[in-house]
Amino acid sequence: MVAKETKQTRPGWDEYFLNIVEAVGKRSTCLRGKPGCVIARDNVLLSTGYAGAPRGAAQCDEVGCLIKEVKHSDGHVSIHCKRTVHAEVNAILQAAKNGIGIDGGTLYCGMCPCRDCAMVIVNSGIKRVIVKDDYHESTESKDLFVGAGVELVILQNK
């Protein structure tokens, strides 16, 4: 006689891919966080990326961050590390390098992408962006996504 098994509780697809984002981010060499990114379409993982300097270049965890001040049009100043390529761009580049089409896909990341990443995401053909947390400088990214018809879902608003 075969015992009846209890149905397991499985994560939904968005939760599943965000869990993978965390694992991918552990490879990041960024000292300011461990950002990771995955791209999927039709619930199939297509590409991953994490923050790090370009191949062959010194990494932040080896030589420190390359911090630059950025003065914005409204007068406020923010600081950013300019040594690393962001996780979102690295995931898109990895797909391109391997000949993997991501048009119509969903991009998952831990935080709402910056404006530069948002522009690359829009031009790559990604149609959905799912993020765990908002980013304090995300207004321009959100506007870009709305204008381009890219759905943005922010699961938490820290």
Side-chain angles (χ1 to χ4, degrees):
M1 173 182 227
V2 177
K4 183 179 177 184
E5 294 186 28
T6 305
K7 185 172 178 158
Q8 296 180 21
T9 303
R10 300 190 310 166
W13 287 109
D14 290 345
E15 183 182 356
Y16 170 75
F17 287 118
L18 284 171
N19 286 336
I20 296 172
V21 165
E22 270 188 51
V24 170
K26 290 178 181 177
R27 289 278 309 150
S28 173
T29 59
C30 177
L31 299 175
R32 300 176 78 199
K34 293 292 182 189
C37 177
V38 301
I39 300 171
R41 186 179 54 236
D42 299 326
N43 299 327
V44 174
L45 181 62
L46 301 175
S47 185
T48 68
Y50 53 86
R55 288 187 175 109
Q59 302 291 325
C60 291
D61 63 355
E62 298 169 335
V63 296
C65 295
L66 181 61
I67 299 296
K68 300 286 183 174
E69 287 188 354
V70 176
K71 185 174 182 179
H72 300 268
S73 59
D74 66 0
H76 85 278
V77 176
S78 59
I79 60 168
H80 300 275
C81 178
K82 295 297 185 179
R83 186 176 309 285
T84 63
V85 179
H86 289 187
E88 300 90 335
V89 172
N90 274 330
I92 291 167
L93 291 171
Q94 192 66 23
K97 183 176 184 275
N98 290 308
I100 299 169
I102 58 173
D103 193 42
T106 299
L107 182 141
Y108 295 87
C109 52
M111 174 182 323
C112 189
C114 71
R115 181 183 184 279
D116 290 343
C117 286
M119 290 188 295
V120 173
I121 291 165
V122 166
N123 280 355
S124 75
I126 294 289
K127 290 301 176 199
R128 235 174 128 229
V129 176
I130 310 294
V131 301
K132 184 176 177 184
D133 294 310
D134 202 354
Y135 173 56
H136 67 279
E137 299 259 351
S138 63
T139 303
E140 290 181 2
S141 299
K142 291 173 184 173
D143 291 344
L144 279 166
F145 289 145
V146 168
V150 174
E151 178 187 3
L152 173 64
V153 177
I154 300 171
L155 300 177
Q156 299 176 25
N157 196 3
K158 285 186 180 177

